[in-house]
Amino acid sequence: MSDTKTYSGSCFCGAVQITVTGEPAAMGYCHCESCRRWSAGPVNAFTLWPPGAVKIMQGADLLASYSKTPTSHRKWCKTCGGHVLTEHPTMGLTDVYAAVIPDFPYKPGVHVHYQEAVLRIHDGVPKLKDVPKEMGGSGIGLSE
Ligand SMILES: [Zn+2]
Ligand SMILES: [Zn+2]
């Protein structure tokens, strides 16, 4: 059974509207310092989508972008400041923050960059020191 459901999301004020379609390549929590400082929160809940799965339906001109490094293009709404997504061109995937798509059935499968964690989470979900080997990381697991 192919799942091609579409889920809607928006920025904080609603001026930027997006949709995601199908299944994400991965879901989980990122504990890296970059996510923490940019989001002003201890953990970033991510959903990573392949090209074409994420569409900006409204307000594309309101999306601003900042790239501290070439691997992440972080985008937010210029009107409300609400974060919307991060493009990862080297991975070929787009992170739509789980909180932006509230109706999507978010099922976290991994915690990444757990060596940088400031908030320990005891949920039984695997914790990786950095990222999986397939993504160029060590693939090393850490205890909660
Ligand atoms: Zn907005
Ligand atoms: Zn991160």
Side-chain angles (χ1 to χ4, degrees):
M1 207 169 75
S2 67
D3 186 2
T4 52
K5 275 191 180 169
T6 293
Y7 299 91
S8 300
S10 70
C11 64
F12 188 45
C13 74
V16 178
Q17 296 280 338
I18 69 165
T19 60
V20 293
T21 299
E23 289 289 327
M27 297 183 244
Y29 298 103
C30 186
H31 294 260
C32 83
E33 193 198 5
S34 292
C35 282
R36 183 157 63 243
R37 293 183 68 176
W38 193 62
S39 70
V43 176
N44 177 42
F46 65 83
T47 65
L48 288 170
W49 299 83
V54 181
K55 290 194 168 61
I56 311 295
M57 308 303 285
Q58 183 189 303
D61 56 320
L62 291 171
L63 273 184
S65 182
Y66 177 73
S67 310
K68 189 173 189 180
T69 68
T71 56
S72 298
H73 298 251
R74 299 168 194 272
K75 304 202 172 189
W76 70 95
C77 169
K78 282 189 261 185
T79 299
C80 69
H83 296 179
V84 180
L85 56 85
T86 298
E87 285 170 2
H88 295 294
T90 50
M91 281 198 274
L93 295 170
T94 298
D95 173 8
V96 177
Y97 314 123
V100 165
I101 41 174
D103 296 331
F104 174 75
Y106 176 67
K107 294 184 200 77
V110 67
H111 290 256
V112 297
H113 294 296
Y114 204 62
Q115 65 177 344
E116 299 176 46
V118 295
L119 178 65
R120 302 266 151 193
I121 297 179
H122 301 275
D123 60 358
V125 174
K127 312 288 185 303
L128 292 181
K129 182 180 176 212
D130 41 69
V131 294
K133 275 187 179 153
E134 311 87 88
M135 290 166 60
S138 69
I140 294 171
L142 296 179
S143 64
E144 296 191 327

